[in-house]
């Protein structure tokens, strides 16, 4: 019997990481949570509230932190690079304080430079951050994107050179977003599509899948558009998520919804995923 994956979602934390986050989690039936520890669309580095940190840590809730959306370690802009490094370091520090299992970071874009140049820069600045993570600290989870622009990682196969640039560091894990993967060309809705995608991930990054962002897609496969949809209401369809939970590579890996709508919709998505898990 494979390990049961906890199912949850990204939670609102108004009122405090623990006070707001755990209440939101209870309201949507979440067994795990993902949080922001600073403004996701700004560079300000928000300090924690020790009492909130302790309460969340002591709750035992499997927790993940999503780094700022602006982070791009492949950027040719020196200011963006400096702020990206500071933001990821802050997210890792805050994640350790709340007992989070991992910090999700977008893999970034080459923007106007070559992929090779960008990956060399990622190596130079991400390896020291990975080395700083304490033994009991969070993993850094690389999240491939939907393939728009000059993204450094979109397909599962793109993770190969990215991880190689990081010397396959033991603290470098993977967060797979189903909407991103579908948009990048992995047809999770087709017969055998889930198996093919997760088999490929295992071949490239065995044992590194630590989190799945469970999102349906408003757009067809290969669209390169990152438009999340509620589970079963998009082009991926509910059945694929059941297949994902039955694939051995995903055994025990938490699923986190980042779907449209507020608490009511998030609860519906989580309930549907729980039914698929039990099937």
């Amino acid at each position: 019997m494979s390990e049961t994956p906890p199912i949850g979602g990204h939670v609102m934390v108004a009122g405090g990481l623990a006070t707001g986050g755990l209440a939101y989690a209870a309201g949507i039936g979440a067994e795990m949570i993902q949080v922001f520890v600073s403004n996701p669309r700004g560079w300000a580095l928000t300090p924690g509230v020790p009492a909130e940190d302790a309460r969340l840590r002591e709750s035992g809730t499997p927790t993940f932190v999503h780094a700022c959306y602006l982070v791009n370690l492949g950027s040719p802009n020196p200011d963006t690079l400096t702020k990206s490094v500071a933001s990821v370091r802050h997210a890792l520090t805050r994640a350790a304080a709340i007992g989070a299992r991992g910090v999700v970071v977008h893999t970034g874009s080459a923007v106007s430079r070559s992929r090779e140049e960008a990956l060399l820069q990622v190596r130079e600045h991400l390896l020291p951050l990975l080395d700083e993570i304490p033994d009991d600290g969070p993993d850094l989870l690389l999240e491939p994107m939907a393939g728009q622009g000059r993204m450094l990682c979109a397909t599962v196969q793109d993770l190969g050179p990215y991880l190689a640039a990081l010397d396959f560091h033991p603290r470098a894990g993977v967060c797979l977003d189903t909407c991103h993967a579908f948009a990048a060309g992995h047809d999770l809705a087709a017969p055998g599509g889930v198996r093919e995608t997760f088999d490929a991930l295992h071949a490239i990054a065995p044992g590194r899948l630590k989190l799945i962002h469970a999102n349906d897609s408003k757009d067809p496969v290969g669209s390169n558009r990152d438009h999340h949809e509620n589970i079963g209401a998009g082009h991926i369809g509910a059945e694929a998520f059941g297949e994902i939970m039955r694939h051995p590579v995903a055994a025990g890996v938490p699923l986190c919804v980042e779907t449209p709508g507020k608490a009511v919709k998030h609860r519906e998505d989580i309930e549907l995923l729980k039914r698929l898990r039990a099937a």
Side-chain angles (χ1 to χ4, degrees), residues 81-115:
L81 175 62
T82 298
K83 289 175 176 174
S84 294
V85 171
S87 185
V88 174
R89 179 174 280 119
H90 173 261
L92 286 165
T93 301
R94 294 289 300 114
I98 64 175
R101 295 183 181 185
V103 171
V104 178
V105 62
H106 292 169
T107 42
S109 168
V111 189
S112 58
R113 54 169 37 166
S114 73
R115 185 187 193 84

Side-chain angles (χ1 to χ4, degrees), residues 44-247:
L45 306 180
T46 309
V49 177
E52 289 287 321
D53 292 355
R55 188 174 157 210
L56 184 52
R57 189 172 61 245
E58 291 161 9
S59 75
T61 306
T63 300
F64 295 82
V65 168
H66 199 302
C68 169
Y69 290 137
L70 302 179
V71 166
N72 182 11
L73 292 159
S75 175
N77 183 314
D79 185 55
T80 299
L81 175 62
T82 298
K83 289 175 176 174
S84 294
V85 171
S87 185
V88 174
R89 179 174 280 119
H90 173 261
L92 286 165
T93 301
R94 294 289 300 114
I98 64 175
R101 295 183 181 185
V103 171
V104 178
V105 62
H106 292 169
T107 42
S109 168
V111 189
S112 58
R113 54 169 37 166
S114 73
R115 185 187 193 84
E116 291 71 27
E117 286 177 302
L119 283 176
L120 281 173
Q121 180 173 285
V122 168
R123 174 187 176 84
E124 179 184 353
H125 294 277
L126 207 49
L127 272 178
L129 291 172
L130 289 162
D131 284 339
E132 288 173 14
I133 298 173
D135 289 346
D136 61 349
D139 289 323
L140 189 66
L141 308 184
L142 308 170
E143 180 180 10
M145 301 306 292
Q148 67 275 33
R150 296 176 59 80
M151 291 296 165
L152 295 174
C153 270
T155 66
V156 164
Q157 288 76 15
D158 290 336
L159 284 165
Y162 203 100
L163 285 165
L166 300 174
D167 295 336
F168 291 91
H169 196 286
R171 303 314 298 268
V174 173
C175 170
L176 189 73
D177 186 308
T178 53
C179 177
H180 295 176
F182 190 71
H186 294 290
D187 194 350
L188 301 173
V194 166
R195 184 179 67 252
E196 182 180 330
T197 301
F198 281 78
D199 285 355
L201 178 60
H202 179 68
I204 291 161
R208 292 183 187 267
L209 181 64
K210 306 295 183 181
L211 180 64
I212 295 168
H213 282 168
N215 302 306
D216 213 321
S217 174
K218 290 183 185 293
D219 297 300
V221 65
S223 69
N224 297 136
R225 289 193 292 271
D226 181 16
H227 294 155
H228 297 188
E229 182 56 283
N230 296 102
I231 305 299
H235 286 269
I236 296 175
E239 185 179 332
F241 292 92
E243 289 184 49
I244 287 169
M245 287 185 272
R246 290 190 294 274
H247 194 287

